[in-house]
Amino acid sequence: MIVVKVEDAPHVDNPHGVDVRKLIDMERVQIFHVTLKPGERLRRHTIPVDAFLYVLRGRCIVEVGEERAEVKKGNIVYLPKEVPHEVSGSGSLPASFLVVKVV
C-alpha cells in the first residue's frame, strides 16, 4: 500500500510559481496536487502526455485549445497531449486540484 500525505509530498519547481506537489511517480502514471491562490494561474502550456485535472476545492477557469469552462469541486477535465491549456483560480478562495498524467 502507498499512502502519501499532501503536506509531506515534495514540492515541484515550476515556471508558473505555484504550489505543486508530486504525490505519485510510477512507470505509467504521475499524480500532482496543485494549489492556486486567488489570482494565480498555470500559464498556457502543453505536455507530451494525456492528463486529467480533478478539482478538489474551489473553482477554476480551464482553457483547453479554443474551449473554456469554469469547473468546480468534483469536476474532471481531460487534457489531451500537445494541446495548449491554461488553468486559473476563479473566485476569492484558493483552488486545489489533482493532475493525473498518463505516462
Side-chain angles (χ1 to χ4, degrees):
M1 178 181 348
I2 298 171
V3 177
V4 179
K5 292 182 182 180
V6 171
E7 60 270 14
D8 295 337
H11 287 270
V12 176
D13 288 332
N14 61 85
H16 312 283
V18 302
D19 183 9
V20 177
R21 296 168 186 250
K22 186 180 285 188
L23 302 179
I24 300 289
D25 189 2
M26 301 177 120
E27 184 179 341
R28 308 203 87 205
V29 67
Q30 293 179 324
I31 302 175
F32 300 88
H33 182 278
V34 181
T35 301
L36 296 179
K37 296 176 187 167
E40 289 185 326
R41 68 187 178 111
L42 299 177
R43 293 183 300 276
R44 199 160 185 81
H45 65 285
T46 61
I47 54 176
V49 296
D50 288 328
F52 297 88
L53 181 154
Y54 179 74
V55 182
L56 300 168
R57 177 178 64 166
R59 294 176 178 273
C60 301
I61 301 293
V62 180
E63 296 181 26
V64 178
E66 300 301 317
E67 298 179 278
R68 176 185 168 111
E70 182 174 51
V71 294
K72 61 183 181 177
K73 179 181 176 180
N75 293 167
I76 191 164
V77 179
Y78 170 55
L79 306 171
K81 68 180 181 180
E82 303 301 342
V83 175
H85 59 275
E86 178 175 325
V87 183
S88 55
S90 172
S92 59
L93 299 174
S96 60
F97 52 91
L98 297 177
V99 175
V100 180
K101 293 182 177 181
V102 184
V103 181

